[in-house]
Amino acid sequence: MSTPLSTTKAAEEEKELGLVSKVELRIALADSDSKLEGLLKTYLAPLLLKLASEHGRVRAKVLSITKHINTRIKSPMLQLPVAALLKQFKDEGSSPLVRQVDLIYIHQGIGRLPAPQRIDLFPILIRGISQDVARSPLQGASIFNLLLRLLPYIQIPERGSKEDGAFSEKLGLDDRLDVEFMAPWLGKTLLLTIDRRAISAPTPMARITSPGLSPEDYEFLTIGKTTTWDPNDDSGMNLANTKITTCKFLASGAFKDKDRFIPALIASADTNSNISNIGEELVKRSIPSVSLEDSTLIAALLKLYFGDSGASIPPVRPSLKIKLAILFSKSITATTFTAEVSRLIEEGLVPSETHEGNQHQSTVLLGREGSKLRGAIIAFTNWVARMASPEDLQVTAPKIVNRLRDFITLQGWPNPNEDISAADSSLRGSAYECIGLLAKTRPEELLLGSNLDLLRWLLTSLSADSTENVSVSIEEALGSILQALAHPIQHSIQYSLRPLLLTHMKLEIGNDSLAADGSKVRRSTRFTAVRFANRCLLYGDVAARWIDLLAIGRSDERNEVIEEGRKGLDPNWYRMINPSDEGPLLGVNSRNPTYELPDFSQLVDYLFLRENEDGQTYLGEQSVQLPSYEIQPAAFPAAVSYSRRILLNQLLKDTTSSIEIDIDWERKIDAVATAEENARRLIGERLRSLPSQDRAFEAALHVYLRACFQGMLEDKGGALNECGKYVVELCALADDHLIAPMAKQACHLKDLILSNSLQSRSTASQAFGILGSHEGCPSGELDAAVHTFLVKSRAWKEAVGAEVHKCHGSILALAFIITRLHCRNRLQVISVRHQDFIELVLDVLENSRDSLLQEAAVLAVDQMSLFSVISLSQISSPHTLKSVTGTLLKKANAGNERAIMALGHLAMICPEHISESLSLWEEFLEPIFKLHELKQPEIHLAIGEALSCVAFGWQSKSLMAALDVNAKVPETAARTTTLQDTLEKILKYCKQSKPSLRKASCMWLLCQVQYCGHSEVVQQRLRWCQAAFKGFLSDRDVLVQESASRGLTLVYEKGDKDLKDALVRDLISSFTNTSANLAGNVSEETELFEPGSLPTGDGSVSTYKDIMSLASELGDPSLVYRFMSLASNNAIWSSRAAFGRFGLGNVLSESGYLAENPKLYPKLYRYRFDPNSNVQKSMNDIWTSLVKDSSATIDKYFSDIMEDLLKSILGKEWRVRQACCAAIADLIQGRPLEKYEGYLSEIWTLAFKVLDDIKDSVRSSAMSLCRVLTGMLVRSAEAGSSRKADTMLENVMPFLMSPSGLEASAQEVQMFALDTILKLAKTGTKTLKSYVPSLVERLLGLLSTLEPEAVNYLHLNASKYDLTEEKIDAARLQSVRSSPMMDAIERCLDILDEDTIRELVPCLENAMRQAVGMPSKVGCSRVLVSLSTRHNFLFRPHADQFLKIVQRTILDRNETVSSSYAMAAGYIGRLVSDQQILQCCGFARKLYFESEDERHRVIAGDLIRATSKYHVQESFQDTWNDNVGGSRAILLYQNEILKLALTHLDSPRWVVKHASALSIAGVAHAGVKQLSLQQQELLWPALERAVGGKSWEGKEKVLEAFVEFAKESTKLQLSNPQVGKEMKKARTSPLIYRAFFFSPTSWPVMRHLSLWYWCEETVPWQVLLALADPSRPFLFYSLLTCRLTEQVILRESKRNNPGYRQHALLYLGQFVESCPDDMSQDVWDIVAPLVEEYLSSDAEMDVDSGSGGASSKTTQILTVANGILSSSKAIKSSTIPTDAEDWGSKEVDRIPYVLTEITITDLTQRISDSIKLTEKTKASPARRLQSARYDALRQFSRVLQQRIGDTNNAAMLMEGNNVLGQLVIGIIPLDSESVPSEQRMKRAEAAFELAKLCKGAKGNSKLEPVGLLQHHIAVGRQSEPDRAVQTLLDNAHELLSSAVVEESGS
């Protein structure tokens, strides 16, 4: 029983079935496609909606109807209601089945829609697309596919336009979800690549993928079909074109930068340049808006890079990986993805099989792309190493370092493989650098861990890697690691590091090997080893210091290694390169273990002891040498010297004489034992005490002494001099028991004593004296040696050559041994009588002529006198004291220092009264004083030392080091008054005026104070010494100044407090005294100037006597006073230089006198800037010690200091002036304006005065001061309006523009004032506003004033230098335009206002009236132009006034000035009133007609031209723009425009004539397709006239309009007599034309006849009859119009103007392409000569265009290219259809384009000739020409297709076989090497057309050219990188292959 519900459902079902059935019936009754289309438009969408019915019968019925519909809609012309279906699909309520069927019909119908309807669908399609995909991914894929299909039809607005900004809104992209969906999928579309082989393989479609895409993504983009991206399929798309449109869509305003960034990045890496170019541009645009520190973005990029193995997503292509790696190198966030970073580097550099545990596939590539990728990865590695956080590097650094090592090892290690590319070779160095940077982050672990594995590896690489320049990278890597090492490093690492570094120190290039493969050492690693030793090992590490010694010990070592070794040995340098956390700790008492000096005992043990096989050391008598693992004799001297320094430092440590470790540590430690008494005493005491307390030290001291002794004996590495010196030094200070072991070997020195080396003999003799006199020396051996020496000495008379050397050494040895034995009371141990030796020595001294023996005798006398071995009584006959002293004095007078010292020491044995008739004074002192004439300064120091010995004996400190044995001081003669007399005598000499005596006495006095200052006699006379030294400070001799300064310092040190204060007061008073006083008396010999400083032509003025003589000769006594004043001032400043000598500044800084006298601060402040650097340093030291708060002190005494400086800045002394400038500059910088506001004007005034100083250095200092002032002024002005800026300008600007500034006579002052003003003007500050009028006036005048005088000379003498005045004026004009003064004037004008410009007007008028030079006048005109253009609002009220002024100034004699003012008048004309314009024109008219000067006529023309150019033209242009609304207005007023243009078309003025022609062309361009019949009748003759005549610039625009008109217009009245007349010119047929034009009643017949005549009886009568139909008059006319246009365009193409001809040939090609006639022969006649001309001119020089256009060669290439294209387009081929009689209306419309029939033979012959012509250019490198050639070949193929393809006649193709072969030869080869992408595309298009030709005719596959073409296409496809070109070649190959298959099947 049925229920009501079931009944209701049944009723509904029946109702729905009824409705569906009605629709079915209507569809079935539709008998045409149009009716069916209308029904479907109404019912299809509602019908499909019934698929959602709940009734199955309804759904089944609908499905059956759809099947019927499917059979009816196969016609491509039938359109479906796609819009309704799409809207229904988008309805969220639709069922899946409805949506699916909707989608099927949408896909089927969308391709049939016209473009506008498709565009309308796009917004609907993309709106809600994200939801569509979410509902059904499969349907979403179809929708996205539709989106891609519609993209090419979307008009993308111009970037940056308003439409682009509103594009997103126009598309309805309101939902961000849609944008966020589309952008990634568009990016995936760009990733998509179609692998045809994978598609054809048996792999399921679902598993096919693409780089960067999952199988699901691939299926989504291909919608599961293999034909989706097959362009040969009817529904397939072209992937390359789709990607291009996708990129353009992404570039639009529909997407934001962050949306398009990743897709753009993908596109930029595409292999197709058309895609990658757009992508790169998008990336550049997007990157500023995208943050590379966004972790989400970086994660997405990393996922894109690696893919996803879990999701079966392969990595992206290498080209994209390169782009991504480059981006990662710009992101710090990228370094935080530690796992991905490690994987990226690992996979990119090292194949997976080289390291275990790798879970990822290696991406290592070969070839160029692989090298680029590795380069990007290496760069990213470098970025990671530098920018990653320490925490992240802790994780990644070890892995990355290992991978980089693997990468280098794979290339070959340590030597790279032979097949390594240059790119990989450079990467090798970069990899080393990355290792260094990474290891730097964890140096202790990576570099120094694992038994120093990485360090060993790097050092081996450095030593053996043969790659060029890679050593620099390795050294850089090691250096970067070295800088990061913590100091000190662990002891265990130090223990392993020492042998490694020592190993590399001993490597020899080419001999040793470190690598496992036996590679020899190629470069030294010693520099690196030394650096590591200095950085990683403690300073106290003896091995490290040994490495430094090895570095400096090689004779062939590089300078950098030696320098590094020296740094390592210098403790101060070591502290600087290894600073501690607390600082360098330079103090001597620092206890930082890092800086502790090596222990002397350990150092000696390491350096001079070696271990034998049993591990026992050689002490005792065994030899001492360097360590057994590296014997370097050359390092021995350095080892000995360094050990001595360490010994002395250790001995003086913690004493009052300890040496501070600073930059002079080595110098101080080397001189301490001989120069400082206290230090020498302390060293002796410590040497005597320490050995007993420290046995190790004692043993080390023994070893060191023995090493020195052995070095002296063996001369290890040239160490004799140093070792002998150290032996003597230490033996003299050491206790006797220390030198006892060496004393036993004293006699071993005999060979050295008898050697040929002077230094060896001297040193060995002194050592022999010390050691031989020791008790430990065997007496027998000693006596024998002494006897031998005596024998050798006695042979002095007969000695020659080497025997002289032996005699010399023997005398020295006897002198030293006898004196030391005497001192030790051990003369009895030798059998030789010392009296015999004395007589021998005196005999040699007085009688020998050999200078060497005499030197030995002098030394012997000196030593025997010093040690009291000789006495007056022992000087026996024939020798006397007088004879001995006389001999010594002779040598002393010759400058022999040893003889002078011998005199002094000999006097020590003489009493004050030698005899009744002879005193010590007379015998010794007076002769010594007479030595003051000697010139050498060091001689006087020796004399002073000798005098101290004479006067004070052994108490003189000069003999401090003379006693070199442990014995009592020898007794000498007693002294009572000698010292007093000597000192008083010297003080008396100090007051003398004789220069030589003053100089000598100063040095003698210095010696007395230095060596005898501790005596009471000297102490009592210190004040006298002070006065004497002070007098010497003004001496002209620098050495005297230094000596006096040193003397004052000694006096200060030795005096009491009162004396010190008095000394300071005296010094200050003398240095601050402004009066000029000469120290001392003036005599004739007083030297006032350095010799040569004041030359007179035949000599120079130097002494007072010279001045008197010169004054007498010239008769001018005033010269004496002038020279004396000059000398006085010079002397004062010379004395001030003494502040910097020998610490005189310390004297002042230690005294409290200055602090108690604040008035001295101004002077002291000034002295801080003294030109003398020593004075400057000393004064700064004094200032620092006295002034605790410098800033506060200067503020307190600012006024005093400033007033003193301003008072002194113009003083007489140049030093004062220079110092004042520098001091003022320093004083005002950083101070508030209030401090120096009152002095500012005076400072500027005085600074400018000093700027013109006579001395260059003063001018430079003044310039620096002025720069400071200018900088302060400019900075204040830049800050804007403020009180400070206003105040400064108020003080400065009047001065700058005063006669002291811009108008100063000194050029330097003038230029600096100008420079200051220019800088102020550039600031554009408003504070300058009030100064602008006067400033502009001054600057305009200066334009001429500052012009070089040479320019005026050239202008007057132009003809002499082959110049013209015009050229010179042009250069001057350019100079004015680019002048910084003009720029400043422009800046000044920019700050004008209404008030200021009123003040400017009279100033500018005055400048124009007073301007004299051409630059000023031109400058005035430019000011007027600037005011008229940039400041017209302000200038307009004054424009009339200035136009009147210009009328006066324009009549200048200089043409350039006149032209400039004329131009200015033109610009002013824009602003003036109409009345003034008329007045100006009247002035020009009057000037032209009434002036008698020809130049005035020219000026009138210039004035009118400028006025019209800058006033009239602009006015008319504005009027036109304001009143004309577009091209329709031109058509509306066409008659009026043409009438006006035709009136002036024959004007004699070329400008007017050309403007008329261009106007006619403009009319044609404006609306040629919209012209009426009457308008065309009027335009045709005008165009014909306009295009006539010779060529001119711009005529190509007229020709273009002519051709365009000829192509479009077919409606001119045939009855127009004028047209007939023009046609008559083209074809001479009077009878036919006359009948045709004047007998309208006979039109049918005459048309038949004329057309028959026209076509030369080759057109069948059926066609002629159709053409003669009176109802279709225009069919015939189009043929006639074409003929007429042919003649015009051919005529224009034959013009000889190269620039015009290229355009004419271009338009010729456009015309012949549309013209129905065959013009091939006519075009051939034009083009063939051009090609021949081009081929013959290849070797000609390319000439640039004078107008900035294309060069001559480029123009010729474009001409030939256009000609070739025109030639190919001119060939026409057509046949008359056999069914012409039955043609309908559409066929008749084709008749105007159907020409005479041409045989296949004629056609192929024409094409063959054209190909031959074209192929002549095949070898040309011009790209444009090659592109034209390929276009021509493609056109030939199309012509043959039209003729042959329509008939499928193989026989016809065989006739064309020859031309077919020519076409193939012209296209091949198809390789891509060195061929640009554009040409490859053109070539591929030509190949594709040729393939279509071959396929079109049957029986073609057997032709040989076809097979050749197919082969080359296949070969070219393999090497082609461009996807678009690949597609064309694939299509061409498929066409040829299918043709072969079809013919095989048939």
Side-chain angles (χ1 to χ4, degrees), residues 311-504:
S312 301
I313 303 177
V316 295
R317 298 184 302 273
S319 58
L320 182 53
K321 285 188 174 184
I322 295 171
K323 297 283 185 180
L324 290 170
I326 293 173
L327 276 183
F328 295 150
S329 300
K330 300 177 182 179
S331 169
I332 298 177
T333 303
T335 64
T336 62
F337 293 81
T338 54
E340 288 79 2
V341 168
S342 300
R343 179 184 172 189
L344 187 151
I345 297 171
E346 178 179 313
E347 294 182 6
L349 295 181
V350 185
S352 57
E353 61 271 11
T354 60
H355 43 81
E356 299 178 359
N358 181 54
Q359 300 177 356
H360 309 289
Q361 183 181 359
S362 173
T363 59
V364 175
L365 298 174
L366 300 177
R368 183 178 178 184
E369 199 170 46
S371 295
K372 287 185 177 180
L373 178 58
R374 286 189 290 276
I377 292 174
I378 292 289
F380 176 58
T381 307
N382 187 290
W383 172 264
V384 171
R386 290 186 293 108
M387 306 305 295
S389 64
E391 295 77 14
D392 292 333
L393 287 175
Q394 289 286 334
V395 179
T396 58
K399 297 179 182 178
I400 298 176
V401 169
N402 290 333
R403 295 292 77 79
L404 290 171
R405 288 183 62 178
D406 293 340
F407 169 71
I408 294 172
T409 304
L410 282 176
Q411 292 183 340
W413 183 86
N415 287 318
N417 301 326
E418 295 181 357
D419 57 349
I420 185 174
S421 65
D424 284 340
S425 177
S426 65
L427 292 181
R428 185 181 182 91
S430 301
Y432 277 118
E433 294 174 9
C434 291
I435 290 176
L437 291 173
L438 289 166
K440 177 182 178 180
T441 61
R442 300 176 63 184
E444 290 79 11
E445 178 181 344
L446 294 176
L447 187 74
L448 303 179
S450 304
N451 197 24
L452 306 178
D453 178 61
L454 181 59
L455 180 59
R456 293 177 190 274
W457 186 82
L458 287 173
L459 287 172
T460 303
S461 302
L462 179 61
S463 65
D465 199 312
S466 60
T467 311
E468 279 190 40
N469 301 325
V470 79
S471 61
V472 178
S473 299
I474 302 175
E475 287 183 346
E476 183 177 344
L478 288 167
S480 61
I481 298 171
L482 196 61
Q483 296 173 4
L485 285 173
H487 196 84
I489 60 176
Q490 300 176 8
H491 290 289
S492 59
I493 297 177
Q494 294 184 37
Y495 182 79
S496 302
L497 187 60
R498 293 187 192 105
L500 174 63
L501 299 180
L502 285 167
T503 299
H504 280 272

Side-chain angles (χ1 to χ4, degrees), residues 1208-1254:
S1208 305
I1209 196 171
L1210 298 180
K1212 296 180 180 179
E1213 298 82 13
W1214 67 267
R1215 297 173 184 268
V1216 174
R1217 299 195 298 272
Q1218 183 172 336
C1220 287
C1221 291
I1224 293 174
D1226 183 77
L1227 185 62
I1228 62 176
Q1229 290 190 81
R1231 307 281 170 193
L1233 177 64
E1234 294 76 13
K1235 277 282 185 182
Y1236 56 89
E1237 180 179 347
Y1239 304 102
L1240 190 59
S1241 180
E1242 186 178 2
I1243 292 173
W1244 275 98
T1245 304
L1246 295 176
F1248 271 38
K1249 286 183 178 180
V1250 185
L1251 201 59
D1252 192 28
D1253 198 89
I1254 192 172

Side-chain angles (χ1 to χ4, degrees), residues 1701-1878:
R1701 184 169 54 189
Q1702 61 168 320
H1703 298 290
L1705 288 172
L1706 174 64
Y1707 302 136
L1708 174 63
Q1710 295 177 5
F1711 174 75
V1712 298
E1713 187 175 18
S1714 62
C1715 182
D1717 198 3
D1718 187 297
M1719 299 174 60
S1720 57
Q1721 186 59 47
D1722 296 324
V1723 177
W1724 171 278
D1725 294 339
I1726 296 173
V1727 175
L1730 295 177
V1731 175
E1732 297 297 337
E1733 180 184 354
Y1734 169 73
L1735 296 176
S1736 63
S1737 65
D1738 280 348
E1740 293 181 3
M1741 181 182 297
D1742 192 10
V1743 180
D1744 290 338
S1745 170
S1747 60
S1751 64
S1752 59
K1753 182 62 70 177
T1754 303
T1755 301
Q1756 188 179 30
I1757 290 172
L1758 290 174
T1759 303
V1760 175
N1762 292 338
I1764 290 175
L1765 287 175
S1766 300
S1767 177
S1768 66
K1769 295 175 181 177
I1771 298 177
K1772 303 292 181 180
S1773 171
S1774 178
T1775 58
I1776 302 299
T1778 57
D1779 57 346
E1781 295 182 1
D1782 301 326
W1783 280 0
S1785 60
K1786 292 185 178 180
E1787 285 77 4
V1788 173
D1789 289 337
R1790 293 172 50 197
I1791 292 177
Y1793 303 97
V1794 177
L1795 305 182
T1796 55
E1797 185 176 5
I1798 303 173
T1799 65
I1800 187 63
T1801 304
D1802 294 339
L1803 177 62
T1804 55
Q1805 183 60 46
R1806 293 182 186 181
I1807 294 177
S1808 176
D1809 293 341
S1810 297
I1811 293 175
K1812 291 177 181 177
L1813 179 66
T1814 303
E1815 288 304 292
K1816 291 182 179 181
T1817 64
K1818 187 172 184 178
S1820 173
R1823 296 185 179 182
R1824 181 68 182 85
L1825 203 54
Q1826 294 304 317
S1827 297
R1829 189 173 67 85
Y1830 289 128
D1831 285 339
L1833 294 174
R1834 182 176 61 176
Q1835 178 66 20
F1836 296 147
S1837 298
R1838 287 177 176 174
V1839 172
L1840 286 174
Q1841 285 180 52
Q1842 182 182 355
R1843 185 63 183 272
I1844 298 173
D1846 289 344
T1847 61
N1848 288 331
N1849 192 336
M1852 296 175 69
L1853 184 61
M1854 292 300 292
E1855 288 189 56
N1857 188 11
N1858 181 39
V1859 71
L1860 182 63
Q1862 288 179 297
L1863 288 172
V1864 173
I1865 295 300
I1867 293 174
I1868 63 173
L1870 294 169
D1871 59 318
S1872 60
E1873 184 177 359
S1874 71
V1875 180
S1877 175
E1878 180 184 358

Side-chain angles (χ1 to χ4, degrees), residues 1170-1411:
D1170 192 88
N1172 187 291
S1173 59
N1174 291 323
V1175 175
Q1176 206 176 107
K1177 182 177 182 301
S1178 296
M1179 289 303 174
N1180 278 312
D1181 292 341
I1182 296 171
W1183 180 271
T1184 304
S1185 63
L1186 291 178
V1187 179
K1188 305 306 179 185
D1189 188 347
S1190 180
S1191 179
T1193 303
I1194 294 176
D1195 288 340
K1196 182 178 180 181
Y1197 299 102
F1198 183 87
S1199 298
D1200 296 335
I1201 295 173
M1202 179 61 76
E1203 290 172 1
D1204 179 76
L1205 294 175
L1206 294 176
K1207 180 181 178 182
S1208 305
I1209 196 171
L1210 298 180
K1212 296 180 180 179
E1213 298 82 13
W1214 67 267
R1215 297 173 184 268
V1216 174
R1217 299 195 298 272
Q1218 183 172 336
C1220 287
C1221 291
I1224 293 174
D1226 183 77
L1227 185 62
I1228 62 176
Q1229 290 190 81
R1231 307 281 170 193
L1233 177 64
E1234 294 76 13
K1235 277 282 185 182
Y1236 56 89
E1237 180 179 347
Y1239 304 102
L1240 190 59
S1241 180
E1242 186 178 2
I1243 292 173
W1244 275 98
T1245 304
L1246 295 176
F1248 271 38
K1249 286 183 178 180
V1250 185
L1251 201 59
D1252 192 28
D1253 198 89
I1254 192 172
K1255 186 163 180 62
D1256 181 66
S1257 61
V1258 179
R1259 293 197 301 273
S1260 299
S1261 184
M1263 182 63 73
S1264 299
L1265 171 59
C1266 291
R1267 290 195 187 99
V1268 171
L1269 293 169
T1270 301
M1272 296 170 61
L1273 182 61
V1274 171
R1275 285 193 295 272
S1276 298
E1278 288 175 344
S1281 180
S1282 64
R1283 197 194 72 81
K1284 179 179 179 181
D1286 295 341
T1287 302
M1288 295 187 73
L1289 287 174
E1290 288 173 5
N1291 284 277
V1292 175
M1293 288 303 297
F1295 166 73
L1296 291 176
M1297 293 188 289
S1298 69
S1300 299
L1302 284 176
E1303 300 176 6
S1305 57
Q1307 186 177 3
E1308 292 86 353
V1309 176
Q1310 189 181 49
M1311 293 306 297
F1312 192 84
L1314 176 62
D1315 183 63
T1316 303
I1317 291 176
L1318 294 181
K1319 288 180 179 178
L1320 285 172
K1322 287 182 179 179
T1323 63
T1325 177
K1326 297 294 184 182
T1327 54
L1328 276 177
K1329 189 184 301 181
S1330 59
Y1331 303 101
V1332 166
S1334 57
L1335 191 56
V1336 170
E1337 181 181 0
R1338 294 292 180 85
L1339 290 176
L1340 287 173
L1342 285 175
L1343 285 172
S1344 295
T1345 304
L1346 298 181
E1347 185 180 42
E1349 296 178 1
V1351 176
N1352 289 321
Y1353 174 79
L1354 278 177
H1355 198 273
L1356 295 174
N1357 300 273
S1359 58
K1360 294 182 180 180
Y1361 300 96
D1362 196 21
L1363 295 172
T1364 62
E1365 293 183 1
E1366 289 76 12
K1367 289 184 179 179
I1368 297 175
D1369 284 344
R1372 298 170 77 185
L1373 181 60
Q1374 181 62 32
S1375 175
V1376 171
R1377 288 173 178 172
S1378 59
S1379 170
M1381 284 187 285
M1382 281 306 304
D1383 182 56
I1385 291 173
E1386 295 285 351
R1387 299 291 183 94
C1388 291
L1389 297 179
D1390 289 340
I1391 58 178
L1392 288 173
D1393 57 15
E1394 294 181 0
D1395 296 332
T1396 313
I1397 199 168
R1398 280 195 291 268
E1399 298 176 12
L1400 176 64
V1401 168
C1403 293
L1404 186 55
E1405 289 182 10
N1406 189 43
M1408 294 174 67
R1409 284 194 300 268
Q1410 294 182 358

